[in-house]
């Protein structure tokens, strides 16, 4: 029975398995579950950032966050320029590190620390996206997301007690989220004066470290200690709001900011030539500084006088005493028609010593061409006294557009000050007949104008004007008008595009205001104007 039972049991198991497969196949094919729902399909753009991060951890920021822009063009540019950027960055890093190392060496009694090799390798960093901020200040703020898995080779030789230790840094990985600010923006290449760099969060840094062929990172506990130490040190120095500042160009020179006051006293003229038919002239003097767009200063007219005496004083704002010169023009005033030029000359400001008055007696010339034979003809002389008064060092040091200007330059009338008006830009201005805008400024009867921007609804001028006043303009207003002109439209050559009357009480109280103003009589026009007040 045991033998036959085994045989029947074997066949029974085989038959049972076969029947089970048949029944299971039938149920799988013909029986459908009732609790299964169709999957929901939607575009990636409709997913939230957390879902995207779970689905694709390495997805670029410009996909996950609409505030970030795609910068593939920048990655391509860096890829092409990387061999040259590598050398430039390494050279700059050595120059920055050398004084720091020299300062730290005596503390640890080390003989020397030298870079035997310094290269960032052949793999450039990659920008995952970039966020750009718009402000009303003269600055550009960028927040790029940078990932770098590089193959640098940095070999440092440390000597102490006659022994030499070789340390090698390699296989670098760094994930950074910096904030890069370029300010102030200036009209001189490269168009910004300083670079400010901060980190918005602790960076992720990973690298290999070898000492005489031994992998130091394989030492238990040492790897984590080094990583955290570097993160903490970098964060302590550059985590926002702490910044690394790199000066590119001198902002004072780049912006051509006032550096002093020239006091010019027009004393007299001698032996002027007759210009009128009746045997006399009506002379006056016009003076201005070169490289300056401000309105020229004028003396009074001395009627029927060939040896006039004025004894009139003028103050002119100096921006660069090494390159600027005082231009003097003597004219014969005419009641009707164009005034005749009687002669001219100029005085380079570099001939003046600070705070020392100097008297000049200049021959009047036809022009400043030394080879022109007509300059040998006698046209008379002009006598004047000049004094250059530079600003104090504390007025110029660390000029920062974001800080209010506290004091007026030396030489400002007592109780008065210097009103600075900077016309930045306008937006959404449009004329009915033409749109060639320029800005008219009227302050206490004195008018100044910017250049004309042809066919431009969003012009950007970046022009500065100064007004020296004898008392704070607390009760005054600055009239600003955007005007369009066209020589082709004879019937409507001039058209107003809007205006604004700006009270100056606020700038006197706050020293500096940078605001956008809606233009009256304009549909959507706005203009950005910066006002500065330097009180004596």
């Amino acid at each position: 029975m045991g033998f036959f039972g085994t045989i029947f049991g074997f066949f029974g198991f085989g038959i049972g398995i076969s029947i089970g497969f048949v029944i299971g196949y039938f149920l799988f094919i013909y029986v459908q579950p009732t609790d299964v729902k169709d999957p929901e399909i939607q575009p990636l753009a409709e997913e939230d950032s957390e879902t995207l991060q779970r689905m694709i951890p390495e997805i670029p920021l410009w996909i996950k966050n609409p505030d970030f822009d795609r910068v593939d063009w920048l990655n391509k540019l860096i890829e092409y320029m990387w061999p040259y950027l590598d050398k430039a960055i390494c050279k700059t890093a050595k120059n920055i590190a050398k004084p720091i190392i020299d300062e730290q060496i005596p503390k640890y009694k080390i003989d020397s620390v030298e870079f035997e090799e310094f290269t960032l390798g052949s793999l450039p960093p990659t920008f995952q996206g970039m966020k750009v901020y718009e402000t009303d200040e003269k600055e550009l703020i960028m927040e790029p997301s940078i990932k770098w898995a590089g193959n640098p080779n940095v070999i440092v030789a440390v000597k102490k007690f006659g022994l030499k230790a070789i340390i090698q840094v390699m296989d670098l990985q760094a994930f950074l989220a910096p904030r890069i600010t370029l300010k102030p923006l200036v009209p001189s290449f490269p168009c910004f004066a300083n670079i400010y760099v901060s980190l918005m969060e602790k960076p992720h840094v990973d690298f290999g470290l070898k000492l005489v062929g031994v992998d130091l990172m394989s030492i238990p506990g040492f790897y984590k200690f080094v990583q955290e130490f570097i993160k903490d040190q970098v964060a302590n120095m550059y985590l926002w709001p702490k910044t690394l500042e790199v000066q590119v160009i001198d902002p004072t020179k780049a912006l051509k900011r006032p550096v002093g006051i020239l006091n010019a006293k027009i004393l007299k003229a001698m032996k002027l030539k007759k210009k009128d038919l009746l045997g006399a002239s009506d002379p006056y003097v016009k003076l201005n500084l070169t490289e300056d767009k401000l309105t020229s200063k004028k003396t009074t007219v001395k009627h029927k006088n060939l040896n006039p005496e004025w004894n009139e004083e003028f103050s002119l704002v100096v921006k660069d005493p090494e390159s600027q010169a005082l231009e003097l023009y003597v004219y014969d005033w005419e009641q009707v028609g164009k005034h005749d030029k009687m002669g001219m000359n100029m005085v380079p400001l570099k001939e003046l010593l600070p705070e020392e008055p100097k008297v000049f007696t200049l021959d009047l010339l036809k022009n400043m061409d030394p080879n022109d034979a007509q300059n040998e003809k006698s046209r008379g002389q002009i006598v004047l006294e000049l004094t250059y008064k530079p600003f104090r060092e504390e007025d110029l040091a660390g000029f920062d557009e974001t800080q209010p200007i506290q004091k007026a330059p030396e030489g400002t009338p007592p109780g008065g000050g210097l009103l600075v008006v900077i016309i930045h830009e306008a937006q959404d201005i449009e004329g009915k007949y033409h749109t060639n805008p320029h800005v008219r400024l009227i302050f206490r009867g004195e008018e100044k104008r910017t250049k004309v921007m042809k066919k431009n609804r969003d012009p950007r001028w970046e022009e500065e004007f100064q007004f020296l006043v004898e008392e704070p303009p607390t009760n005054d207003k600055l009239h600003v008008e955007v005007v369009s002109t066209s020589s082709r439209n004879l019937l409507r050559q001039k058209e107003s595009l809007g205006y604004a009357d700006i009270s100056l009480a606020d700038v006197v109280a706050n020293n500096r205001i940078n605001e956008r103003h809606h233009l009256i009589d304009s549909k959507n026009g706005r203009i950005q104007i910066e006002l500065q007040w330097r009180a004596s």
Side-chain angles (χ1 to χ4, degrees):
M1 284 299 291
F3 173 75
F4 290 103
T6 302
I7 294 297
F8 286 123
F10 176 77
F11 280 104
F13 177 77
I15 293 172
I17 290 293
S18 300
I19 294 173
F21 273 120
V22 172
I23 295 173
Y25 178 76
F26 178 82
L27 294 175
F28 178 76
I29 294 298
Y30 295 101
V31 178
Q32 296 291 338
T34 59
D35 58 344
V36 177
K37 297 181 180 180
D38 293 333
E40 294 184 5
I41 301 175
Q42 59 184 13
L44 286 176
E46 297 181 5
E47 299 287 353
D48 57 72
S49 59
E50 293 183 2
T51 304
L52 286 174
Q53 187 66 34
R54 289 195 303 268
M55 295 170 59
I56 314 175
E58 297 301 323
I59 193 169
L61 278 175
W62 57 268
I63 294 179
K64 297 185 294 184
N65 192 329
D67 292 337
F68 282 81
D69 297 322
R70 186 175 182 177
V71 285
D72 288 345
W73 64 270
L74 181 58
N75 291 324
K76 184 64 68 175
L77 177 65
I78 292 177
E79 181 181 351
Y80 283 126
M81 295 185 61
W82 184 245
Y84 308 97
L85 290 172
D86 178 18
K87 295 179 181 179
I89 294 172
C90 291
K91 183 178 179 181
T92 303
K94 286 182 180 179
N95 294 336
I96 294 175
K98 190 175 185 306
I100 299 175
I101 293 173
D102 292 342
E103 182 181 351
Q104 297 296 325
I105 279 179
K107 297 181 181 179
Y108 301 97
K109 298 181 180 180
I110 298 174
D111 297 335
S112 66
V113 176
E114 297 178 355
F115 290 97
E116 291 193 349
E117 190 167 348
F118 197 152
T119 175
L120 300 179
S122 59
L123 302 176
T126 301
F127 287 79
Q128 301 293 304
M130 183 180 297
K131 182 190 296 184
V132 179
Y133 291 91
E134 293 184 3
T135 69
D136 288 339
E137 303 294 333
K138 285 187 175 181
E139 63 183 5
L140 175 63
I141 301 176
M142 302 173 289
E143 287 186 6
S145 175
I146 304 174
K147 291 189 176 182
W148 184 24
N151 55 348
N153 187 20
V154 182
I155 299 177
V156 182
V158 181
K159 294 181 180 179
K160 184 174 182 179
F161 304 129
L163 301 177
K164 181 179 179 181
I166 304 297
I167 302 174
Q168 183 179 12
V169 181
M170 55 186 184
D171 299 332
L172 175 66
Q173 287 188 356
F175 301 158
L176 305 173
R179 169 175 287 184
I180 302 172
T181 304
L182 310 179
K183 73 173 184 180
L185 301 180
V186 297
S188 302
F189 188 81
C191 300
F192 55 88
N194 298 305
I195 303 176
Y196 299 87
V197 181
S198 299
L199 295 175
M200 304 310 294
E201 58 187 34
K202 279 189 177 183
H204 169 77
V205 181
D206 191 3
F207 59 89
L209 191 63
K210 289 186 177 181
L211 175 62
V212 197
V214 178
D215 189 358
L216 295 177
M217 292 304 187
S218 63
I219 300 175
F222 185 73
Y223 172 80
K224 185 176 181 180
F225 169 76
V226 172
Q227 300 299 320
E228 293 301 322
F229 177 78
I230 291 176
K231 291 180 184 179
D232 291 339
Q233 291 301 313
V234 173
N236 289 337
M237 291 188 293
Y238 304 123
L239 195 63
W240 176 261
K242 299 178 182 178
T243 60
L244 169 66
E245 179 181 352
V246 180
Q247 186 178 86
V248 179
I249 54 178
D250 185 347
T252 303
K253 295 182 179 179
L255 288 165
K256 294 293 184 183
R257 293 295 178 185
V259 296
I261 293 291
L262 176 67
N263 289 334
K265 186 175 183 179
I266 307 301
L267 299 176
K268 60 182 179 178
M270 302 175 293
K271 301 178 181 178
L272 299 179
K273 299 305 176 183
K274 301 175 182 178
K275 288 289 184 179
D276 295 341
L277 295 176
L278 300 178
S281 295
D282 305 314
Y284 71 92
V285 182
K286 192 161 83 171
L287 60 158
N288 63 275
L289 289 173
T290 57
E291 304 177 17
D292 202 338
K293 298 180 181 179
L294 299 180
T295 306
S296 300
K297 308 289 185 179
K298 296 180 182 179
T299 66
T300 56
V301 178
K302 299 297 182 180
H303 294 283
K304 301 185 183 305
N305 196 332
L306 299 180
N307 296 282
E309 293 187 8
W310 287 282
N311 293 313
E312 297 179 15
E313 297 187 25
F314 302 91
S315 295
L316 298 97
V317 179
V318 179
K319 297 181 179 179
D320 189 353
E322 293 299 318
S323 63
Q324 286 186 288
L326 177 66
E327 293 180 325
L328 300 153
Y329 299 87
V330 180
Y331 286 92
D332 176 31
W333 179 83
E334 297 291 345
Q335 188 171 4
V336 179
K338 185 178 180 180
H339 300 180
D340 295 326
K341 187 170 76 172
M342 305 179 70
M344 67 163 296
N345 211 319
M346 65 169 51
V347 180
L349 299 190
K350 60 184 179 181
E351 296 184 6
L352 303 176
L353 296 177
E355 306 290 349
E356 292 189 10
K358 187 174 182 179
V359 177
F360 293 86
T361 301
L362 306 175
D363 293 325
L364 294 177
L365 309 174
K366 181 180 180 181
N367 53 54
M368 297 308 298
D369 184 0
N371 299 320
D372 193 337
Q374 296 190 46
N375 284 330
E376 298 179 1
K377 181 180 178 181
S378 176
R379 290 178 170 80
Q381 294 178 316
I382 185 170
V383 182
L384 67 154
E385 180 183 294
L386 301 179
T387 307
Y388 172 58
K389 296 183 178 182
F391 295 168
R392 294 185 299 273
E393 195 66 29
E394 55 266 26
D395 292 330
L396 298 175
F399 179 82
D400 187 350
E401 289 264 297
T402 64
Q403 298 298 324
I405 299 172
Q406 299 295 337
K407 297 181 180 179
E410 188 172 339
T412 301
L418 180 67
L419 176 65
V420 180
V421 182
I422 303 174
I423 308 297
H424 288 298
E425 61 183 356
Q427 294 178 337
D428 296 331
I429 56 174
E430 186 172 5
K432 186 176 181 181
Y433 304 101
H434 43 77
T435 307
N436 305 313
H438 71 272
V439 179
R440 293 174 62 234
L441 297 177
I442 300 178
F443 174 68
R444 292 187 176 179
E446 185 176 358
E447 179 178 333
K448 298 182 180 182
R449 300 187 180 191
T450 66
K451 59 187 176 183
V452 177
M453 308 294 284
K454 293 186 177 180
K455 297 181 179 180
N456 198 328
R457 296 180 67 252
D458 301 299
R460 188 178 185 89
W461 290 281
E462 299 296 345
E463 293 189 36
E464 177 184 307
F465 305 89
Q466 294 101 16
F467 299 89
L468 278 171
V469 294
E470 297 181 354
E471 58 183 11
T474 306
N475 300 319
D476 290 275
K477 288 187 177 182
L478 176 70
H479 181 76
V480 180
E481 184 180 11
V482 182
V483 180
S484 176
T485 57
S486 175
S487 57
R488 296 181 179 181
N489 194 327
L490 299 179
L491 296 178
R492 298 179 177 87
Q493 292 186 344
K494 183 183 294 186
E495 179 182 357
S496 176
L497 305 183
Y499 70 94
D501 290 319
I502 304 173
S503 174
L504 300 178
D506 289 341
V507 70
V508 173
N510 299 307
N511 298 111
R512 179 177 178 269
I513 293 178
N514 188 359
E515 294 180 339
R516 293 182 185 272
H517 302 268
H518 289 276
L519 294 172
I520 300 173
D521 292 342
S522 174
K523 186 176 180 181
N524 297 310
R526 303 179 306 279
I527 187 168
Q528 182 182 344
I529 297 178
E530 179 179 345
L531 301 174
Q532 298 176 3
W533 171 247
R534 292 189 178 186
S536 60

